Amino acid sequence: MNRQARKTSLQAPSLRYPGDGAQPTPGATKANGRWLRALLGARVGTRVSALINRREPERLFGALFVLPALALVIVFRMVPLVWGGYYSLTDFDGVHAPRFIGLGNYAHLFGDTTFGASMKNAAILLATLPVWIALPLVLATLIHQGVPGGGFFRAVYFLPAVLSSVIIGVIFNFVLNYAGALNTLTAVFGIDPVDWLGNGSTALMSLIAIQLWSTFGMSVLIFLSGLSTVAPELIEAARLDGATPVQVFRYVILPAMRPIIEFALVVTCIGMLTSMFGLIYVMTAGGPGTGTYLPEYLIWIEQGYLNKPGYASAISMVLFALMAGLAVVQIRIMSRNAGI
């Protein structure tokens, strides 16, 4: 009898949570009702309290916690998007009342050579996407596998990500200027100077290389986070079976990293199209000619210099549709390859 009592006393108390079917006590119900009425007002608080008592509380409380973030998204994302769509159908100039012109702005886009040049440059930029994914993935894998100095390289790779694009642009203006540090260094070896930022064949690729250098550290951290979820037993088993490092990477790490790669593809693609304005503004101002124009820079030109918010909004809608379409296509392709 004493042994049974001792066994019972050592048992942990049974904990029940709202989702386990436990019913709130009358005291808890009254307390919830009081603070909800004080927070939301008598009428709304009473209704919310009734919902809590009648439905699963954790779902409603989850929704309440999401509401602030959802409100920010609606106010600062969705509302401007709707207004941008409306202004894209008008001839709004920022001064006079907008006049509805239908698809006139979009029709004008097809004959705008500057817009065509910006889209061509955007296509060249997107063609480099595999490098933006493969390079940080390989470097993250090497760091995760324990190469000497992994912690040092992790810090060095991430350091450019904390610098603003303006600072990076000023630094590389000094480096890539015709009389800058790079040409001065190459002249020592008898190499003729190159106008990196003034030549149409090198200006855009120079900006792309600088942007890649300044942002790939964040991708390295994302991939390192994903690699930490790969079971070490799988890698060790593959090594014991005689797999080479390349085979381990291809047949073990890549399949396990598929969701992270999918996420990185979408985020990187959107970032490529929306985060180069600072470099363009500081380093080339879109030149030479329209050689480094991208849609985001053209939007600023039409809005800020030419006072055409309606036309700029049309370009914004095209850019938004392009990013959304690319994201959907990437997710579909990755899901299909995963057999989902």
Side-chain angles (χ1 to χ4, degrees):
M1 188 69 177
N2 292 336
R3 182 179 302 173
Q4 182 66 26
R6 188 181 301 110
K7 181 179 180 181
T8 304
S9 64
L10 292 176
Q11 290 179 346
S14 177
L15 300 178
R16 303 185 70 186
Y17 297 92
D20 299 332
Q23 299 297 325
T25 63
T29 300
K30 292 180 180 180
N32 290 337
R34 282 196 300 269
W35 72 262
L36 284 171
R37 282 191 293 271
L39 180 65
L40 304 175
R43 189 172 182 180
V44 177
T46 301
R47 292 184 178 181
V48 174
S49 178
L51 287 174
I52 292 176
N53 298 330
R54 188 166 63 246
R55 301 180 182 178
E56 295 184 10
E58 70 277 8
R59 292 187 178 180
L60 187 56
F61 276 112
L64 290 175
F65 282 117
V66 170
L67 278 178
L70 181 61
L72 291 176
V73 171
I74 292 174
V75 172
F76 294 105
R77 297 289 185 180
M78 302 307 298
V79 172
L81 180 63
V82 173
W83 276 107
Y86 165 70
Y87 284 131
S88 71
L89 303 175
T90 70
D91 63 351
F92 186 48
D93 60 1
V95 178
H96 302 92
R99 182 172 60 90
F100 184 79
I101 59 173
L103 299 177
N105 287 325
Y106 295 95
H108 181 60
L109 286 175
F110 290 100
D112 189 345
T113 56
T114 304
F115 174 74
S118 70
M119 294 301 292
K120 176 185 175 181
N121 293 335
I124 296 174
L125 173 62
L126 291 174
T128 64
L129 180 61
V131 179
W132 293 59
I133 298 299
L135 179 61
L137 179 58
V138 171
L139 292 175
T141 303
L142 292 175
I143 293 174
H144 183 262
Q145 295 303 308
V147 296
F152 169 77
F153 288 116
R154 184 182 310 191
V156 169
Y157 294 152
F158 184 72
L159 182 61
V162 304
L163 300 176
S164 71
S165 58
V166 174
I167 295 176
I168 293 173
V170 171
I171 293 173
F172 278 95
N173 261 335
F174 171 75
V175 174
L176 299 180
N177 198 313
Y178 188 79
L182 181 58
N183 283 333
T184 301
L185 178 62
T186 56
V188 176
F189 301 96
I191 301 175
D192 294 333
V194 177
D195 192 0
W196 298 101
L197 302 178
N199 190 323
S201 61
T202 58
L204 180 61
M205 295 309 298
S206 297
L207 291 182
I208 293 174
I210 295 169
Q211 182 69 7
L212 173 60
W213 171 83
S214 65
T215 58
F216 85 100
M218 184 63 70
S219 298
V220 170
L221 289 184
I222 292 174
F223 288 132
L224 281 172
S225 300
L227 287 167
S228 65
T229 65
V230 179
E233 295 81 5
L234 295 178
I235 299 176
E236 187 63 28
R239 289 173 175 170
L240 291 176
D241 287 340
T244 64
V246 175
Q247 291 174 328
V248 171
F249 179 78
R250 179 178 178 182
Y251 297 108
V252 179
I253 294 178
L254 277 183
M257 289 285 291
R258 190 179 298 274
I260 306 300
I261 295 175
E262 178 181 335
F263 170 78
L265 275 171
V266 175
V267 173
T268 302
C269 183
I270 294 174
M272 292 169 70
L273 293 172
T274 59
S275 62
M276 289 190 62
F277 173 82
L279 286 181
I280 298 173
Y281 181 81
V282 172
M283 299 187 69
T284 64
T290 57
T292 55
Y293 264 67
L294 288 176
E296 60 171 327
Y297 186 77
L298 180 59
I299 292 170
W300 180 77
I301 291 292
E302 296 291 343
Q303 167 77 31
Y305 269 91
L306 303 179
N307 293 325
K308 296 180 180 179
Y311 189 60
S313 296
I315 302 174
S316 300
M317 291 298 104
V318 173
L319 181 59
F320 170 75
L322 174 62
M323 292 187 297
L326 289 173
V328 171
V329 170
Q330 289 171 356
I331 293 174
R332 290 284 180 87
I333 292 176
M334 296 294 292
S335 300
R336 186 180 304 169
N337 292 339
I340 299 177

